[in-house]
Amino acid sequence: MLVVAEKDIASLMTPEAAFEAIESVFAAMSAGKARNFPVVREAIGHEDALYGFKGGFDAAGLTLGLKAGGYWPNNGKHDLINHQSTVFLFDPDTGRVAAAVGGNLLTALRTAAASAVSIKYLAPKGARVLGMIGAGHQSAFQMRAAARVHAFEKVIGWNPHPEMLTRLAETAAELGLPFEAVELDRLGSDADVIISITSSFGPLLMNDHVKGPTHIAAMGTDTKGKQELDPALVARARVYTDEIAQSTTIGEAQHAIAAGLIRAEDIHELGAAVNGTDPGRGTTEVTIFDGTGVGLQDLAVAKAVVEIAKNKGLAQQVDI
Ligand code: NAD
C-alpha cells in the first residue's frame, strides 16, 4: 500500500485539487453513484476521547474507504492538535488496502472546499462582501477557499471571542482584502455571502439580521445539539446540504425540523445544483448550505492527494 504522511500533505495538496474532488463527489452522491455508510462515533472512556469511522463508496470515482479518528481534548499535553484522523483507501476490485493518508489537514481542506462549491453555485450575482462568523482553526481555510471561487472586495467578521479576530484580519490581508470587525446585525445586512464556522450550541445569526440576497454556508454544526442559525432563518431560506439524512439529524437543519418549520423534503442536495438537475438560487432571497461533513469528502481528497504524491514520486510504498 501507499503511505502519504501528514507532514507531506501541505506541500502536495492544493485547494484547486480539493475543490475539484469535492465538486465531483457531491455530483456523484446526487446522481446516486456514491453513498456514505452509517457513521460510528463512540466515547471510548479514555482521555475523554470521541473516536469513530466515516466511510463510503464512490462508484463513479472508484473510491472505497474510511476516515478513522476523532477528538482527543487533552492532546495539548502531547503537543498535538485535538482533532486526529487518518484515511484508509481500499482497492474496490479486490478489497486490499491501497493507501493510508494523514487526514488532519485534508479535513480542513475538504470542509473549506465544500463551502466553496456552495459559493460557486449559490452566491448571489455580483456578491462583493464576504462575512465570516467564527475565527478558529477552520476559518482561515474557509476564507481562502471562498476567495478562490469568487472575487470578493471586502471581508467583514464577527466571533464570540473577539480576541481571535486577528486570524481573520491576517488571512484577509494575505488575500489582499480589507477586513472590518462588525456586529452580527451589520454582518447580516452587509455580507452577500456568509460563512459560519463556530462550535456554537445556540443561534448566533438571527433571521432579522439577514437582509438578502444572501448565501450562507453554515459549516460549524456537525453534531446533534450544535447550532449557529436562527431556525426562522433556515425556514425562510432555500436549504441545500451535502447529505439530507445528516442535515436533518446533525446539521443546522435539525433545529428547524424539530420545530416543525421545515421538512426533509424541503432540503436540496448541493450535488443536484452541480449536476444541473436543481435550478439553484434563481430569485431566492436567502440560500443556505448546511455543510455537515461526509466520509466521501475525506475519501475524495485522500484519493486526490495519493494521485499527486504518486505523480511526484513521493508516495511511500509499504508491503502489508
Ligand atoms: P476551533 O476550536 O479552532 O474554533 C472554535 C470557534 O468556535 C471559534 O470561532 C470560537 O470562538 C467559537 N466558539 C467556541 N466555543 C463557542 C461557543 N460555546 N459558542 C459559540 N462559539 C464558540 O474550531 P475549528 O476547528 O475552527 O472548528 C469550528 C467548528 O467547525 C467546530 O464546531 C467543528 O466541529 C466544525 N467542523 C465542521 C466540519 C464540517 O464538515 N461541517 C469540519 C470540521 C470542523
Side-chain angles (χ1 to χ4, degrees):
M1 74 169 177
L2 297 171
V3 175
V4 184
E6 183 67 48
K7 68 175 174 46
D8 294 329
I9 303 285
S11 61
L12 292 170
M13 193 59 179
T14 62
E16 291 75 17
F19 182 91
E20 279 169 27
I22 297 307
E23 188 179 45
S24 301
V25 82
F26 282 167
M29 281 165 59
S30 186
K33 292 179 186 151
R35 70 187 176 97
N36 292 289
F37 303 152
V39 174
V40 174
R41 196 164 160 89
E42 296 285 332
I44 60 171
H46 179 74
E47 287 290 352
D48 300 323
L50 275 179
Y51 171 68
F53 314 112
K54 279 184 166 185
F57 178 49
D58 175 359
L62 285 182
T63 314
L64 174 69
L66 59 87
K67 176 164 89 168
Y71 189 71
W72 270 256
N74 310 320
N75 268 3
K77 66 186 179 195
H78 302 294
D79 271 338
L80 292 170
I81 60 168
N82 294 345
H83 285 277
Q84 290 293 330
S85 64
T86 308
V87 181
F88 296 92
L89 299 176
F90 295 84
D91 179 346
D93 297 334
T94 62
R96 276 179 61 81
V97 64
V101 184
N104 297 349
L105 177 57
L106 284 183
T107 300
L109 291 172
R110 65 82 147 143
T111 306
S115 63
V117 171
S118 84
I119 292 167
K120 173 177 169 185
Y121 288 94
L122 299 172
K125 272 209 171 60
R128 291 175 41 250
V129 179
L130 173 64
M132 297 290 310
I133 300 175
H137 179 70
Q138 306 290 333
S139 63
F141 293 91
Q142 292 283 327
M143 197 196 298
R144 289 188 198 110
R148 211 187 64 76
V149 290
H150 191 91
F152 291 104
E153 293 170 13
K154 180 176 181 178
V155 181
I156 57 180
W158 179 88
N159 194 56
H161 307 101
E163 68 280 5
M164 293 171 76
L165 284 166
T166 46
R167 177 181 265 129
L168 297 184
E170 283 162 15
T171 311
E174 167 197 314
L175 296 165
L177 293 170
F179 174 78
E180 188 184 352
V182 296
E183 291 305 320
L184 277 171
D185 53 349
R186 244 202 79 201
L187 192 139
S189 67
D190 288 10
D192 307 301
V193 171
I194 297 171
I195 297 173
S196 61
I197 183 96
T198 70
S199 315
S200 179
F201 279 83
L204 302 171
L205 189 67
M206 304 308 288
N207 190 24
D208 60 8
H209 289 152
V210 177
K211 203 172 68 184
T214 312
H215 173 61
I216 303 166
M219 305 304 296
T221 299
D222 56 359
T223 305
K224 195 167 167 48
K226 279 191 186 171
Q227 183 177 16
E228 298 184 299
L229 306 181
D230 182 355
L233 176 59
V234 176
R236 169 183 164 201
R238 182 172 172 85
V239 180
Y240 289 81
T241 189
D242 38 27
E243 187 167 280
I244 292 168
Q246 287 202 171
S247 173
T248 58
T249 52
I250 60 168
E252 195 58 49
Q254 64 180 290
H255 306 286
I257 294 263
L261 297 174
I262 63 167
R263 299 159 306 151
E265 299 87 300
D266 299 322
I267 303 175
H268 311 273
E269 289 174 329
L270 180 58
V274 175
N275 285 334
T277 53
D278 178 279
R281 74 174 300 119
T283 55
T284 311
E285 276 292 287
V286 181
T287 50
I288 291 175
F289 171 58
D290 185 2
T292 64
V294 294
L296 282 170
Q297 284 175 256
D298 299 300
L299 307 189
V301 287
K303 179 167 181 167
V305 82
V306 167
E307 289 305 318
I308 294 170
K310 275 202 300 206
N311 291 339
K312 294 193 167 180
L314 289 173
Q316 306 159 50
Q317 179 79 43
V318 177
D319 287 332
I320 184 164

